[in-house]
Amino acid sequence: MAKTAAFFAAVVMLFASCVSTKVEGDQQESSVSEQDSAKKSVAAEKSKAKKPKSKKKKFNQEEFDKAFDSCDYDTCVAMINGKKPGKDKILNALDVNMLMHLNAQYLDSARAFMDTQREMQQSASDTSGGKSFSAAIAGENSTAYTGAVYERLLAYSMRAVNALALGDISNAKGVMDTYAGDYKDVIAPLVAQEKELEAESEGALEKDEVSNALKSLKAVGISVDLSKVNGGTPAKYTGKPYENSAFLSYLGALIYAANNSPDHAQDAARLLRETNPNVSVSEDIFIPAGKGRLNVVALSGTIGKRCQAAQEFSTGIIPVLNTPLKFKIAYPAFPAQEHAISAVRVTLSDGTAKTAMLIEDFDEAVRIDVAKKARGAYSRSVFRNITKNAVTASTSVVALIAADKAMKNSEGSIMMQIATAATYTAAVAGLNAALSAIINAEKADVRQGSYFPHKASAAGFTVNPGKYSVKVEYLSKNGTVIETKEQGDISVVAGRPTVVVSSCGR
């Protein structure tokens, strides 16, 4: 990990030293070829024809799913905009930005991702691991969503992808330059913040609040076996952290090669080899004389979803009721995922065909993120169970014990005995309701951007300069064509790669 971080720091410094043109607001002030300008103009006009819908529609999950399955992304966006964002403003924005990309609103999506990145950075800079811990203690979703590391990197990737879809190599280069310059200020602090939150969470059960809560429970006759509850704690993640994206490095290599920046392209290629050694971009950087290169980048499916895992424990005996105190511990998990699209086949108009190579499977990024966060979430859940039950014990259990004693010692008129019994019944009902509320309130934080791609794949062709069309087929496991996307009038020039973008969110 240290080797990778040191290498990337060197790459960033090299990028910074080699950038000779001025970048402001991600608009590169450098000349582009007439062909790039023409392609950008045409693509921009197409994008302008599909302005984002500002209308809002009440969110309904069933209707949303139907709209998404039928590729009615305008309705999907309207429904997300109709939600009350609360702590999820950034989360909703990530989903809307991706839906706009799937709707071929590339210019709007690129601008929206840039705005969301600014909000993510500001939100993260206002929050420390300690603050996140304090907020999460009230409930996992009490923390404002600021985006995981992989989502930060995907935002850069999607900005670059949108620029490429518009034929805007200059702005795509601007995104990569920004990423190289911002890495230390954006990604590194977020990684540090997550480590601080993890450390705070692991030490949660050693805090005074837990010690005092256990004493309060014991004072009313409930002895909690904390070791029993802690026995289900997920293992600490010891694998490689997700701090660099193979897909973003791949895009960087193509973009810099297309922009006649071979040194930068080779830097990106070296980082790509560290993140995915199975992918080579040497043919895109060192193109044979008189030849061009046509690369088709295919984004398929939607990213795998995390879910809630929960363990229930019984420990200690509640006085009077003689039933065990129940704990529900909730934390995120990432189960095996099923995806409709298994492979991508690309065919050129000259008859050449290839199965696209896998650049990155983003399910792995979610798996790593969940594995890193599960242990801390589990500890915070135990913390909440203990402290909430202690509050219940100091009120409802005490009231139940008093009511039980009063009923057993009840004397006097029948009406008095009935009233005493009613008080006891109410105390039992109140305690059961309080205990159930603790269980029902315990939920894991499973929030994430839902419409990022599942896989990024690509097929590269060394071809003669000229005009081409491309057919991209998205295939199931048994080879059935799920969807076909076609693009025509693609110009390939000698000496540099031309990049075509295709997306299928099924």
Side-chain angles (χ1 to χ4, degrees):
M1 180 175 71
K3 181 179 178 182
T4 300
F7 173 80
F8 187 82
V11 171
V12 170
M13 291 178 65
L14 182 57
F15 279 6
S17 66
C18 292
V19 173
S20 59
T21 51
K22 184 178 179 184
V23 180
E24 290 186 356
D26 293 333
Q27 295 295 325
Q28 182 77 23
E29 294 184 0
S30 60
S31 63
V32 295
S33 69
E34 293 181 3
Q35 185 180 53
D36 276 345
S37 298
K39 286 176 65 180
K40 180 170 63 175
S41 177
V42 171
E45 288 303 316
K46 289 181 180 178
S47 181
K48 287 178 182 177
K50 287 188 173 183
K51 285 293 183 182
K53 301 294 183 180
S54 58
K55 64 180 181 181
K56 297 180 180 181
K57 182 179 177 68
K58 185 177 180 180
F59 187 87
N60 177 286
Q61 189 64 61
E62 184 177 352
E63 289 183 18
F64 183 95
D65 292 341
K66 287 181 180 178
F68 184 81
D69 290 341
S70 62
C71 301
D72 179 7
Y73 300 123
D74 286 339
T75 295
C76 292
V77 169
M79 282 195 181
I80 293 177
N81 287 336
K83 289 182 176 180
K84 292 182 179 179
K87 303 284 186 180
D88 296 341
K89 180 181 178 182
I90 288 174
L91 178 65
N92 292 344
L94 290 174
D95 284 345
V96 167
N97 301 348
M98 271 307 306
L99 290 168
M100 286 195 293
H101 169 82
L102 292 173
N103 207 28
Q105 297 168 236
Y106 303 124
L107 187 61
D108 299 312
S109 178
R111 289 170 174 169
F113 266 116
M114 184 168 65
D115 291 340
T116 304
Q117 277 187 314
R118 290 174 180 150
E119 293 183 6
M120 293 164 87
Q121 187 170 353
Q122 182 59 48
S123 180
S125 66
D126 292 341
T127 307
S128 66
K131 287 181 179 178
S132 294
F133 174 81
S134 298
I137 284 303
E140 293 299 297
N141 292 335
S142 295
T143 304
Y145 195 82
T146 60
V149 171
Y150 73 87
E151 292 177 327
R152 303 298 181 97
L153 297 179
L154 265 167
Y156 283 106
S157 294
M158 291 311 305
R159 286 175 60 194
V161 164
N162 283 319
L164 291 171
L166 291 167
D168 189 348
I169 295 295
S170 176
N171 204 29
K173 180 180 181 294
V175 173
M176 296 309 303
D177 289 342
T178 301
Y179 163 64
D182 283 357
Y183 183 87
K184 288 184 177 180
D185 295 329
V186 176
I187 304 301
L190 185 62
V191 172
Q193 179 182 314
E194 289 184 350
K195 289 180 179 177
E196 184 184 351
L197 174 59
E198 182 181 351
E200 285 271 357
S201 299
E202 287 190 3
L205 302 184
E206 299 176 3
K207 293 181 178 293
D208 290 341
E209 293 97 321
V210 172
S211 177
N212 293 335
L214 291 173
K215 289 177 182 177
S216 296
L217 288 167
K218 194 170 185 178
V220 293
I222 304 175
S223 296
V224 173
D225 184 357
L226 197 55
S227 64
K228 181 178 180 181
V229 179
N230 285 336
T233 304
K236 185 178 180 67
Y237 179 72
T238 57
K240 186 177 180 181
Y242 188 95
E243 296 178 11
N244 293 296
S245 164
F247 182 48
L248 188 54
S249 298
Y250 174 79
L251 290 174
L254 293 188
I255 290 166
Y256 282 119
N259 215 290
N260 297 317
S261 303
D263 290 341
H264 286 169
Q266 290 182 59
D267 290 334
R270 285 194 288 270
L271 188 57
L272 173 60
R273 285 195 294 272
E274 288 202 358
T275 49
N276 187 348
N278 297 319
V279 178
S280 172
V281 289
S282 60
E283 293 181 80
D284 302 294
I285 300 173
F286 306 105
I287 301 173
K291 296 287 186 178
R293 186 80 173 157
L294 177 54
N295 293 81
V296 180
V297 174
L299 304 180
S300 59
T302 53
I303 198 165
K305 308 302 186 292
R306 67 193 74 198
C307 68
Q308 174 174 291
Q311 297 188 38
E312 295 193 10
F313 300 91
S314 296
T315 176
I317 300 298
I318 302 173
V320 182
L321 295 181
N322 291 320
T323 57
L325 183 65
K326 293 182 179 179
F327 280 47
K328 174 188 169 186
I329 314 302
Y331 54 98
F334 189 63
Q337 306 284 313
E338 289 291 332
H339 294 278
I341 297 171
S342 180
V344 179
R345 183 169 59 222
V346 179
T347 305
L348 302 188
S349 50
D350 65 3
T352 309
K354 283 186 179 181
T355 297
M357 61 181 172
L358 176 65
I359 307 299
E360 185 166 0
D361 183 336
F362 296 106
D363 276 13
E364 180 64 8
V366 183
R367 186 194 68 78
I368 292 173
D369 190 62
V370 169
K372 286 179 60 180
K373 293 176 177 177
R375 186 178 178 87
Y378 188 100
S379 296
R380 294 191 297 272
S381 186
V382 173
F383 182 102
R384 286 191 294 271
N385 271 260
I386 293 173
T387 53
K388 287 181 178 180
N389 276 307
V391 171
T392 299
S394 65
T395 53
S396 300
V397 172
V398 170
L400 175 64
I401 293 172
D404 178 63
K405 183 177 180 180
M407 188 176 69
K408 289 178 178 178
N409 298 328
S410 177
E411 296 180 357
S413 67
I414 295 296
M415 291 301 295
M416 179 66 72
Q417 293 179 35
I418 291 174
T420 304
T423 300
Y424 170 79
T425 301
V428 171
L431 176 57
N432 285 332
L435 296 175
S436 295
I438 293 173
I439 296 296
N440 294 334
E442 199 55 35
K443 292 180 174 61
D445 186 358
V446 296
R447 294 175 294 176
Q448 67 173 88
S450 296
Y451 305 104
F452 283 118
H454 166 219
K455 288 180 179 178
S457 305
F461 303 84
T462 300
V463 296
N464 293 319
K467 294 274 190 178
Y468 292 85
S469 61
V470 169
K471 179 171 71 173
V472 183
E473 295 172 299
Y474 296 88
L475 311 174
S476 66
K477 287 182 179 179
N478 61 12
T480 301
V481 177
I482 294 174
E483 188 162 342
T484 299
K485 299 287 184 77
E486 297 187 12
Q487 294 189 42
D489 199 30
I490 301 164
S491 295
V492 178
V493 298
R496 67 172 188 169
T498 296
V499 185
V500 175
V501 174
S502 178
S503 299
C504 178
R506 295 189 183 280

